[in-house]
């Protein structure tokens, strides 16, 4: 779910391929204030893709309804 959100707002580089990449990314975000600020700005810029578009919520609703009926 988190990876889909990141991809939706254009932050594919924050989707780690494996545990080692996840740790490397976390360390970079902790240590590199400039990179962290850059990512924070991109998150802010991409918020509209999450909150102003009802399509992702509708897709989740459809999936949950199908899951509840045993169709997922």
């Amino acid at each position: 779910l988190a990876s889909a959100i990141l991809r939706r707002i254009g932050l594919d580089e924050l989707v780690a391929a494996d545990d080692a990449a996840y740790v490397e990314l976390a360390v970079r975000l902790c240590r590199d204030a400039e990179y962290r600020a850059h990512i924070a700005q991109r998150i802010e810029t991409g918020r509209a893709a999450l909150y102003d578009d009802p399509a992702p919520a509708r897709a989740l609703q459809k999936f949950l309804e199908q899951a509840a009926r045993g169709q997922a």
Side-chain angles (χ1 to χ4, degrees), residues 32-53:
D32 188 339
E34 185 176 321
Y35 180 65
R36 190 171 54 251
H38 171 72
I39 293 298
Q41 179 58 47
R42 289 183 59 203
I43 290 170
E44 182 63 30
T45 301
R47 287 179 61 180
L50 294 176
Y51 299 112
D52 294 344
D53 181 0

Side-chain angles (χ1 to χ4, degrees), residues 22-69:
Y22 180 86
V23 170
E24 183 178 327
L25 178 60
V27 169
R28 181 174 183 198
L29 285 166
C30 287
R31 291 184 176 170
D32 188 339
E34 185 176 321
Y35 180 65
R36 190 171 54 251
H38 171 72
I39 293 298
Q41 179 58 47
R42 289 183 59 203
I43 290 170
E44 182 63 30
T45 301
R47 287 179 61 180
L50 294 176
Y51 299 112
D52 294 344
D53 181 0
R58 287 192 186 122
L60 177 60
Q61 177 185 3
K62 181 179 177 181
F63 168 78
L64 293 174
E65 288 170 349
Q66 289 174 341
R69 291 190 300 266

